[in-house]
Amino acid sequence: MKSIFKGILGAIIGFVVGAGGLSLIRLATGLEPWKREPGIVIGYLFALTGWLLGVGVWDYWARGWFGLPVRKYEVTGWRRYFNFDPDHKVIGIQYLVTLVVMMLIAGLFAMVMRAELMNPGRDFLDPKEYNNIMSLHGMFMIMVAVTVISGAFGNYMVPLLIGAEDMAFPRLNALSYWLTPVVPILLLTSLAFQGWDSGWTGYAPLSVTNESGQIFYNLGFMTLGLSGILGAVNFLTTIIALRAPGMTWGRLPIFVWSIFSTAILSLLATNFVFVVLLLVLLDRIAGMGFFDAARGGNPILYQHLFWFYSHPAVYVMALPGFGAALEVIPHFSRKPLFAYRWAVAGFLGIVILSFTVWAHHMFTSGMSENPLPFMVTTELISIPTGFIFLAALGTIWLGRLWLKTPMLFGLAVIFNFLIGGITGIYLADVPVDLQLQDTFWVVAHFHYTIVSTQIFGLMTAIYYWFPKFTGRMYDERLGKLHFWWMFITFNTTFTPMFWLGIQGMNRRVAQYLPEFGDLNRWVSLSAFLMGASFLVFLYNLVYSWARGPQAESNPWKARTLEWQTSSPPPHENFPREPEVIGDPYDYGVPGSVHALIPVSGGSTDGDVVATSVALYPND
Amino acid sequence: MKRDFFFAGLLWIVLTFAGITLVSQINLFPLSAAHEADIIDEAFLFLTLLGVPVFAFVLVGLIYSVIRFRQPGEMPEDGPPIRTSRPVTWAWLGITSALAVFIIFNPGLKGIRELTANREPDLVVQVEMRKWNWTFSYPQYGVAVVDAQELVLPVDRHIRFEVTSTDIIHSFWIPAFRMKVDAVPGQINILYATPTETGSFEDDINLRAQCAELCGTGHPRMRAGLRILESAEFEAWVAGQAAGSP
Amino acid sequence: MNTASLQHKRYSRLNINRLGLWLFILSESGIFAALLFTRFYLLGLERASDLNQTIGLIITSILLISSLTAYRAESAIAHEDRETFLRSILVTILLGAAFLIGVGIEWSQAFVHFPPSGLFGTVFFTMTGMHAFHVLTGLILLALLYSNGRREAYSVEDHWGPEAVVKYWHFVDVVWVFFYPALYLVS
Ligand SMILES: [Cu+2]
Ligand SMILES: [Cu+2]
């Protein structure tokens, strides 16, 4: 806990220094000393620096820059999770818990929204309050969706899957994590300043002219971006440089490929949204005019820069979910991953194409650019996406399907995304988009893409790797109950929204025409049921983590490396570095071995081969 | 294995047929009141008809496999070690690419061309949106309706809407026309439509102008009724407006 | 903790650090690409006529020269020449500070001719401000190098710190090579 206390102290000192310093400068130049928005922004900049220094940067890094000995916290047990800890397994758990809590909070916001939408008129929220809740739900979920699988399982599993001891930059990894708890706190603080009502997209000029709560969205999103960039640098370096001997690109587990592709997107795109959020802040606090048409600015600029990040971000959300599903499906089909190379090509094709499609969000904006190229690239991106379906279907076809909870969730990713993908084609078609844009069709479509990949993918990953990261087994019956409950209610909640969209209900409204009342009531009731399914999940997660039966080290008899070490793995992951000699998914291939793992203590150094055992060889 | 392909294929054909029948039986669309709306509905329907077999294909692949290949009980033996299949992968690539390219041309390009074919308006209507009100002006008649509750249009005339905003971004949407365009400060966005039916908001809720872009507190209530009149009635209405306004 | 044994044969710790730094720089260039896009999207090829071209030219030259002195510092420490290393770092710091002073003078004139409330001012102050912020960060890092260099913290084998800071400094210079024509020359 020392980390957190020091961090909070640092943040307070930082805020006082930053905001106070600004006030002094303003006073010296003859302005009124305190102006709210510049004060908060500058104060936050220093507070964030103070927080990071306090939480661990000073002890782990900065002392070294001044010639002092670097300090490490020697904490053990549960306290490690409340400290700045460079171990990738600790960081993975930290991400997992933080973001699952955020997801549940975001779910509560969704319940509040659906409660208001039970009836067409005003029930208990006025439109302004509704917009604030809607924005919070959106941004919380966006944060969860871009972070949770790569933050939790990317961190925990990638080093294990590639046979490494840790990430390439362990301290930087801890730094990326300790930026994340700041974001939800900022977003919630906005409520103390009338909230922000511009949604997770924060379109200018609305976001330049609304209440001060807006700046917390901008600062929070920018902080999230910084964390994402540092994480991306770490993932890319780790996957490029720390693969065990013999772990060639062609033998890389598919989940690692998905994290690799995701990291490329985050690395290259995030700073564009960073800039556009900064420009909005400058318009607000420095009187600049980027988005003020009266002074020659252009509101459409916001959308270009925003979507140049935020479309790739859609794939930052989707690819890890695909990766988790494709990782699980071969293990539970007892068959090699079908067309592995095509699946990889699918990921990389999506990465390249996703930088060329951003303006498909702007077909109705009257942008001066021709919409045609964006329609073309958007419809072409369905080709690499199709490879992922090819790999999934080809793997289960003629397989021996073991329908455990993670497998069910993995298959649900494929099924739900099928609906999300097909309904996206309508939005990519310029004429049809003129009608469907900004209707409930869009709401249904992006929940079918993002929830289906990231949230169902998260469940896939949690259930699949649960025995690995907890050392205990979850309750299979509750897992199946959770699956069917969530899968059915998810579909009954979001399918009717397509119909609402066709019938002309626009999105982001607290009140709507009475004609849409019946269907909305159905959607709300179904949404409450879907929300309730998470109670089963939560109970299973918490109870099994604390009290579940001890798990074997490899309960799924899977071939990949993370299962060839104890559960949970020791600090250094493997007793000695594994040597990869074959493909990860070669189920049923006679004599195929994925890796040799020298048993430690069996002999002296240099005598590796003699003591090698192939853990879980076929036959 | 041959039997599996046969039954799955059969299931696929049956589901596709059932899906197409369903789509053509139910009435997908609300009231259409413009020539352009029919073009867009046609595109929507065409995409649905193409989507049904694709959806059914993946669905059958999933459901058939889950039912036919599931192994109850403890961990099953390893399955057949099929790593990939050249004909299947290339056929997949060929078919999905052909579909993707096809829909770019039809309904994509075709629809865009049809919507933008006629750029010679019979009537110009200027739409000015602001938080949270509308001004509709008819420059050819020298008439402007400020803080309008209702948008009045003549039937069977090709109308050019010139849409702009004075504060933040709004969006001008008429559901019965199936089209919207954003109202962006500092620029004038164009939308063409030819009403084909008379009627008003009281007859059908799709006859309305609705703000479709989040614009703050008043957003959900930012709409105006739409009344489409016979040509003569419209002339009378517009003359009345001209006389009424100073 | 057998870190060394598990770390890669093909990638030394130094090479891992280098890879990470290059990736970070690649990401960071997105900021400047976005600002360049903004500049041309809003203004086309327009530019304010009353920019002080003399100052622009002087500060550009100063920054380019500072890249050379930074390079000299890096190669000096790689050859165990601490004397030259420290001197070159100091000169680089002075040149960087001179650049910032130049930007300050340009800003004080720009406030009169095209204040940040106008469109060109908006773009000009944001772009030069973002770049100057990076220069300032570089100066702080260079100052750290100098103080650590005096404590003889770097050696032929271990001078990743100087290498990283100098690479970053080159990057900041390269950004200016794009910004300078975009702000001062196009029309
Ligand atoms: Cu997109
Ligand atoms: Cu509006």
Side-chain angles (χ1 to χ4, degrees):
Chain A
M1 306 291 252
K2 229 162 107 193
S3 276
I4 297 179
F5 292 132
K6 280 187 179 174
I8 291 172
L9 189 67
I12 293 170
I13 296 174
F15 188 85
V16 171
V17 169
L22 183 72
S23 293
L24 287 180
I25 293 171
R26 288 178 67 92
L27 206 59
T29 46
L31 298 159
E32 17 119 46
W34 173 252
K35 202 172 164 209
R36 186 198 274 168
E37 293 191 7
I40 292 174
V41 170
I42 301 297
Y44 173 71
L45 222 62
F46 283 79
L48 184 69
T49 314
W51 160 257
L52 291 178
L53 282 173
V55 89
V57 170
W58 175 256
D59 282 336
Y60 273 83
W61 259 294
R63 289 171 60 91
W65 301 336
F66 300 99
L68 302 165
V70 173
R71 261 200 300 237
K72 278 186 181 159
Y73 306 134
E74 293 303 336
V75 262
T76 49
W78 61 272
R79 282 191 187 79
R80 299 181 72 188
Y81 299 100
F82 293 89
N83 264 304
F84 191 93
D85 194 313
D87 184 337
H88 73 103
K89 296 189 284 297
V90 173
I91 293 167
I93 300 294
Q94 288 173 327
Y95 267 112
L96 181 69
V97 173
T98 310
L99 288 157
V100 164
V101 169
M102 275 189 74
M103 177 183 77
L104 297 173
I105 296 173
L108 288 179
F109 289 137
M111 297 298 99
V112 174
M113 288 160 71
R114 282 320 312 181
E116 171 61 37
L117 294 176
M118 280 282 278
N119 296 303
R122 190 201 142 139
D123 291 326
F124 60 95
L125 292 176
D126 66 38
K128 168 70 186 162
E129 291 162 344
Y130 178 87
N131 287 347
N132 290 346
I133 301 282
M134 183 262 303
S135 305
L136 279 169
H137 166 74
M139 197 57 215
F140 265 61
M141 277 315 291
I142 291 293
M143 171 161 177
V144 172
V146 296
T147 321
V148 64
I149 295 184
S150 48
F153 295 101
N155 270 310
Y156 202 112
M157 295 302 162
V158 163
L160 283 162
L161 281 161
I162 63 174
E165 194 190 14
D166 204 321
M167 298 282 281
F169 305 108
R171 290 179 304 183
L172 193 69
N173 203 13
L175 184 65
S176 325
Y177 168 72
W178 282 102
L179 282 164
T180 52
V182 177
V183 182
I185 293 170
L186 269 179
L187 296 178
L188 289 174
T189 311
S190 75
L191 289 176
F193 298 86
Q194 291 92 47
W196 95 91
D197 58 356
S198 55
W200 85 272
T201 47
Y203 270 19
L206 175 59
S207 57
V208 176
T209 52
N210 56 1
E211 284 87 356
S212 296
Q214 178 69 40
I215 61 175
F216 293 90
Y217 155 88
N218 287 58
L219 294 172
F221 206 157
M222 289 162 87
T223 311
L224 177 64
L226 180 59
S227 163
I229 289 169
L230 298 179
V233 168
N234 220 336
F235 280 126
L236 289 173
T237 313
T238 305
I239 296 170
I240 292 171
L242 296 190
R243 282 167 290 135
M247 181 61 87
T248 56
W249 291 103
R251 289 173 180 161
L252 214 52
I254 198 73
F255 180 70
V256 180
W257 269 115
S258 77
I259 297 293
F260 185 77
S261 316
T262 303
I264 296 176
L265 292 173
S266 301
L267 186 86
L268 297 180
T270 308
N271 267 323
F272 285 79
V273 83
F274 186 89
V275 164
V276 80
L277 294 166
L278 177 72
L279 300 189
V280 167
L281 282 180
L282 288 173
D283 268 16
R284 290 183 76 107
I285 67 172
M288 290 186 170
F290 286 105
F291 308 111
D292 182 357
R295 283 182 275 160
N298 191 337
I300 303 294
L301 170 69
Y302 184 93
Q303 300 178 20
H304 277 300
L305 290 174
F306 182 83
W307 289 113
F308 191 78
Y309 162 76
S310 291
H311 185 85
V314 170
Y315 287 98
V316 169
M317 305 175 206
L319 295 185
F322 289 145
L326 289 188
E327 179 70 30
V328 162
I329 287 173
H331 299 311
F332 289 87
S333 304
R334 314 309 295 172
K335 246 181 104 223
L337 178 64
F338 185 77
Y340 169 92
R341 277 158 201 276
W342 290 76
V344 172
F347 284 138
L348 298 178
I350 286 173
V351 167
I352 294 164
L353 277 177
S354 71
F355 284 106
T356 64
V357 300
W358 74 92
H360 64 205
H361 297 268
M362 301 158 60
F363 288 157
T364 64
S365 74
M367 57 177 180
S368 46
E369 293 76 15
N370 190 338
L372 212 63
F374 297 100
M375 181 178 84
V376 171
T377 50
T378 306
E379 285 175 352
L380 290 182
I381 211 169
S382 63
I383 300 171
T385 313
F387 296 169
I388 288 153
F389 286 91
L390 171 68
L393 289 181
T395 308
I396 58 173
W397 185 253
L398 300 178
R400 306 259 161 86
L401 271 51
W402 196 24
L403 295 177
K404 292 284 183 181
T405 310
M407 177 65 163
L408 290 172
F409 273 106
L411 293 173
V413 170
I414 303 297
F415 172 80
N416 292 337
F417 192 83
L418 173 65
I419 297 177
I422 288 181
T423 53
I425 296 284
Y426 292 79
L427 297 171
D429 185 77
V430 176
V432 178
D433 185 65
L434 296 183
Q435 166 73 348
L436 296 180
Q437 165 74 340
D438 276 315
T439 67
F440 260 73
W441 179 282
V442 175
V443 178
H445 159 72
F446 72 70
H447 282 87
Y448 258 105
T449 51
I450 296 171
V451 177
S452 83
T453 50
Q454 188 73 206
I455 304 304
F456 279 82
L458 172 68
M459 296 305 159
T460 311
I462 288 181
Y463 284 107
Y464 177 58
W465 280 307
F466 191 85
K468 183 52 58 184
F469 66 83
T470 64
R472 294 174 185 275
M473 201 60 192
Y474 64 87
D475 185 314
E476 183 66 40
R477 281 216 317 240
L478 286 177
K480 287 221 171 86
L481 175 68
H482 171 219
F483 169 76
W484 286 110
W485 190 343
M486 178 173 158
F487 177 71
I488 291 169
T489 50
F490 170 75
N491 279 287
T492 52
T493 304
F494 289 100
T495 336
M497 289 187 188
F498 288 118
W499 185 254
L500 282 171
I502 303 174
Q503 297 304 313
M505 177 166 170
N506 49 320
R507 64 188 282 221
R508 292 174 154 177
V509 287
Q511 295 155 21
Y512 50 87
L513 290 167
E515 281 76 1
F516 305 123
D518 291 341
L519 211 47
N520 268 292
R521 202 160 305 121
W522 166 273
V523 169
S524 286
L525 293 173
S526 172
F528 299 147
L529 281 177
M530 183 186 169
S533 75
F534 284 86
L535 297 176
V536 184
F537 160 72
L538 199 62
Y539 174 79
N540 199 353
L541 185 76
V542 173
Y543 183 84
S544 304
W545 203 330
R547 292 271 144 81
Q550 294 290 326
E552 305 162 47
S553 64
N554 189 1
W556 313 124
K557 300 290 176 284
R559 292 168 50 97
T560 39
L561 278 172
E562 82 277 31
W563 297 105
Q564 318 309 334
T565 180
S566 59
S567 297
H571 175 75
E572 63 284 353
N573 289 347
F574 301 98
R576 297 258 288 282
E577 186 175 50
E579 192 191 341
V580 179
I581 56 169
D583 288 342
Y585 304 114
D586 273 350
Y587 293 97
V589 181
S592 159
V593 174
H594 178 43
L596 301 172
I597 300 181
V599 174
S600 71
S603 86
T604 52
D605 270 341
D607 197 11
V608 177
V609 181
T611 58
S612 293
V613 291
L615 284 155
Y616 194 67
N618 280 86
D619 297 326
Chain B
M1 180 177 154
K2 267 201 181 125
R3 248 185 32 176
D4 291 325
F5 278 113
F6 176 76
F7 281 118
L10 198 66
L11 192 59
W12 176 51
I13 290 167
V14 169
L15 273 184
T16 302
F17 187 73
I20 287 176
T21 315
L22 183 74
V23 168
S24 42
Q25 286 302 311
I26 53 173
N27 185 11
L28 280 172
F29 307 110
L31 174 83
S32 148
H35 171 60
E36 287 73 11
D38 298 332
I39 297 170
I40 290 168
D41 285 351
E42 195 190 314
F44 187 104
L45 193 65
F46 189 70
L47 285 175
T48 310
L49 294 177
L50 280 179
V52 166
V54 175
F55 179 72
F57 184 85
V58 181
L59 190 68
V60 167
L62 284 169
I63 290 182
Y64 187 88
S65 303
V66 164
I67 293 171
R68 172 75 177 77
F69 303 128
R70 67 175 298 197
Q71 309 279 320
E74 276 317 289
M75 201 197 75
E77 294 288 290
D78 284 356
I82 306 165
R83 281 214 191 85
T84 184
S85 152
R86 205 170 244 279
V88 171
T89 47
W90 286 98
W92 182 283
L93 175 66
I95 292 168
T96 52
S97 307
L99 272 174
V101 172
F102 181 71
I103 56 171
I104 289 168
F105 288 97
N106 185 11
L109 277 174
K110 177 168 164 273
I112 294 178
R113 206 173 330 106
E114 286 171 359
L115 288 178
T116 52
N118 185 351
R119 292 174 175 282
E120 297 295 318
D122 306 322
L123 176 69
V124 173
V125 177
Q126 291 169 340
V127 178
E128 188 188 282
M129 298 172 78
R130 69 195 167 281
K131 285 190 279 188
W132 292 279
N133 262 309
W134 315 70
T135 297
F136 301 115
S137 344
Y138 303 81
Q140 288 147 320
Y141 297 90
V143 166
V145 188
V146 184
D147 290 350
Q149 298 299 310
E150 202 174 43
L151 167 61
V152 181
L153 298 175
V155 75
D156 290 333
R157 276 209 248 172
H158 195 54
I159 303 170
R160 179 164 81 193
F161 295 99
E162 299 176 352
V163 182
T164 191
S165 159
T166 54
D167 42 31
I168 59 175
I169 298 179
H170 303 269
S171 189
F172 173 69
W173 178 35
I174 298 178
F177 292 1
R178 308 282 190 272
M179 286 191 292
K180 65 176 67 73
V181 70
D182 291 358
V184 182
Q187 72 186 48
I188 291 169
N189 289 340
I190 306 290
L191 197 68
Y192 288 95
T194 319
T196 50
E197 311 268 339
T198 58
S200 72
F201 180 64
E202 285 72 36
D203 309 324
D204 191 300
I205 56 158
N206 288 288
L207 292 171
R208 71 183 197 272
Q210 171 88 48
C211 176
E213 181 66 57
L214 179 61
C215 57
T217 308
H219 176 57
R221 308 202 73 88
M222 188 168 174
R223 64 172 160 259
L226 171 62
R227 190 144 55 98
I228 306 174
L229 300 173
E230 293 293 348
S231 212
E233 290 172 335
F234 176 77
E235 295 296 336
W237 175 82
V238 92
Q241 290 293 318
S245 59
Chain C
M1 284 296 285
N2 46 352
T3 315
S5 73
L6 282 202
Q7 233 103 61
H8 237 260
K9 284 100 202 159
R10 282 177 299 154
Y11 289 86
S12 62
R13 187 68 239 175
L14 182 62
N15 281 333
I16 290 173
N17 287 344
R18 282 185 180 141
L19 182 57
L21 180 70
W22 280 116
L23 289 171
F24 180 76
I25 285 177
L26 188 64
S27 177
E28 201 70 355
S29 51
I31 290 185
F32 301 103
L35 288 174
L36 278 173
F37 173 82
T38 302
R39 183 250 178 272
F40 289 107
Y41 188 82
L42 289 181
L43 292 162
L45 295 178
E46 230 175 275
R47 146 173 87 80
S49 55
D50 31 19
L51 274 161
N52 190 330
Q53 291 289 353
T54 325
I55 292 186
L57 199 59
I58 291 172
I59 60 174
T60 306
S61 327
I62 289 177
L63 204 60
L64 289 178
I65 294 167
S66 82
S67 230
L68 293 177
T69 59
Y71 175 73
R72 197 168 143 73
E74 188 192 347
S75 58
I77 195 68
H79 292 95
E80 197 98 58
D81 183 354
R82 286 169 207 284
E83 201 75 346
T84 317
F85 170 70
L86 285 177
R87 203 170 348 103
S88 305
I89 291 288
L90 198 61
V91 175
T92 312
I93 292 174
L94 291 175
L95 289 171
F99 174 84
L100 284 186
I101 292 168
V103 172
I105 297 171
E106 178 73 296
W107 272 28
S108 63
Q109 297 178 358
F111 259 109
V112 182
H113 297 302
F114 41 89
S117 52
L119 193 59
F120 188 83
T122 291
V123 170
F124 178 82
F125 279 93
T126 306
M127 285 175 73
T128 52
M130 179 57 86
H131 180 260
F133 177 74
H134 278 75
V135 172
L136 187 65
T137 320
L139 282 183
I140 294 170
L141 294 173
L142 285 167
L144 270 173
L145 281 191
Y146 186 74
S147 86
N148 282 339
R150 286 175 48 123
R151 287 189 296 102
E152 309 209 339
Y154 307 117
S155 62
V156 177
E157 299 79 35
D158 178 17
H159 58 276
W160 165 243
E163 186 189 329
V165 173
V166 168
K167 284 215 166 90
Y168 176 83
W169 189 258
H170 290 325
F171 166 65
V172 174
D173 281 8
V174 170
V175 168
W176 187 252
V177 168
F178 285 93
F179 271 25
Y180 172 65
L183 287 170
Y184 285 82
L185 302 183
V186 292
S187 59

